[in-house]
Amino acid sequence: MPGAPTPALLPYPSDLAEIAGLLARRVGERIRSLRDAGVDVAATKSSHTDVVTAADREAERMLVAGLLELRPDDGILGEEGADTPGTSGVTWVIDPIDGTVNYLYQLPAYAVSVAATVADASAPAAGSGNTHDGRRAIAGAVYAPVTDELYVAWEGGGATLNGAPISVSPEDDLSRALVGTGFGYTVERRTEQANVARHLIPQIRDLRRMGSASIDLCMIAAGRLDAYYERGLQPWDYAAGVLIAREAGAEVLGRDAASLPGEPMLIAGPRPLAGALRAAVAQAYAAG
Ligand code: IPD
Ligand code: CA
């Protein structure tokens, strides 16, 4: 295809992971200090509870400036509106604050998520690492500034937490599994998700709703949650987290065997737990 970069010209994923980690930490430290100075809602998005703060916007500007300086030919796609086409074949998918409601309420589970992705039309099969948005993360970092935890991964390089290798939980029985999930911002979506949760809770150890999808996926990677499912995620919520979870040994699934993870469903956990959770979630949706 004219203009498409050849794989040989793509940078090393480990170099991109270093950039992701550096920027996620730098911006995470900044949003933490902004939080200490006080935070107000700047605007609402999909519903009156879906908020954006001045810190979200400043953090995205910092990430974009850092990426343009270090990787001027790459594209950038961000939650707060960054949408820059690139020429290198790499697109950075960024969430300046994942867990904005936690940030507003001074709850610790918020993070900066930074992923380097490539379009991967050649291998779109489930299990290829491709997500529903047609991209595959090859490097990524999630930094949670309150706990000072930096999760980093690159394709084929494993996943680390503050430099130490991490891996998924050994749990293989759904009835013993601690499962994470999230709820969307609209009343309709939340009602549907509450019904699904009602069906699932009797089948599992318990359910956690942390409020940050990128942290949920890192919890899967670190074995601190056994499995995770959520409907309604956007690419910036999961781009880095999916790679980190996969590199820690997780299976990341879509709604069914033929679907890529992302929308309408993303499920993660060790094998065979992820598959068991997918079957239980499908049953819960069918039961309404
Ligand atoms: C949200 C969080 C939350 C998930 C929502 C996301 P935001 O991102 O990741 O855990 O349940 O679907 O929108 O709005 O805090 O960046
Ligand atoms: Ca988010």
Side-chain angles (χ1 to χ4, degrees):
M1 199 201 313
T6 62
L9 296 178
L10 285 171
Y12 288 116
S14 55
D15 293 341
L16 298 178
E18 197 176 328
I19 291 172
L22 177 99
L23 292 179
R25 182 185 283 282
R26 181 191 295 169
V27 174
E29 285 167 357
R30 173 69 181 150
I31 60 172
R32 186 170 184 190
S33 71
L34 287 173
R35 176 54 268 188
D36 291 344
V39 165
D40 287 319
V41 173
T44 57
K45 298 191 279 188
S46 61
S47 82
H48 71 284
T49 55
D50 183 6
V51 298
V52 58
T53 71
D56 290 85
R57 291 171 175 166
E58 178 174 332
E60 183 154 304
R61 280 196 297 272
M62 278 182 75
L63 287 172
V64 169
L67 289 169
L68 288 177
E69 186 194 336
L70 295 168
R71 300 281 314 165
D73 298 330
D74 295 351
I76 306 173
L77 178 68
E79 172 158 26
E80 305 312 335
D83 194 0
T84 312
T87 54
S88 66
V90 172
T91 297
W92 294 86
V93 180
I94 58 174
D95 196 339
I97 305 181
D98 185 42
T100 299
V101 175
N102 286 342
Y103 185 72
L104 189 65
Y105 280 75
Q106 265 184 298
L107 291 168
Y110 61 85
V112 180
S113 176
V114 179
T117 72
V118 292
D120 191 3
S122 62
S128 62
N130 266 52
T131 42
H132 179 252
D133 56 319
R135 309 200 65 83
R136 192 179 96 242
I138 55 173
V142 171
Y143 181 60
V146 177
T147 49
D148 187 25
E149 291 183 316
L150 179 66
Y151 296 84
V152 179
W154 65 87
E155 203 169 54
T160 57
L161 164 54
N162 290 346
I166 48 174
S167 59
V168 291
S169 122
E171 187 56 72
D172 61 2
D173 182 335
L174 190 60
S175 72
R176 285 194 304 254
L178 186 61
V179 176
T181 193
F183 303 116
Y185 288 111
T186 65
V187 169
E188 296 74 20
R189 177 57 55 83
R190 296 167 74 73
T191 304
E192 166 204 293
Q193 288 169 319
N195 285 331
V196 169
R198 179 169 64 87
H199 284 285
L200 277 180
I201 280 183
Q203 304 175 55
I204 60 179
R205 180 189 296 273
D206 206 348
L207 197 60
R208 292 288 181 270
R209 196 293 192 248
M210 314 257 207
S212 167
S214 61
I215 292 183
D216 288 321
L217 286 161
C218 290
M219 296 291 115
I220 294 295
R224 295 175 178 175
L225 276 179
D226 296 312
Y228 167 74
Y229 75 97
E230 184 161 352
R231 179 174 185 193
L233 295 176
Q234 301 290 334
W236 40 78
D237 298 319
Y238 61 69
V242 162
L243 176 69
I244 292 165
R246 280 173 59 88
E247 286 295 327
E251 189 175 29
V252 183
L253 303 173
R255 179 173 55 185
D256 52 39
S259 309
L260 293 168
E263 262 298 271
M265 182 57 67
L266 191 147
I267 293 171
R271 210 183 296 256
L273 197 60
L277 179 60
R278 174 165 71 185
V281 167
Q283 266 179 9
Y285 267 95

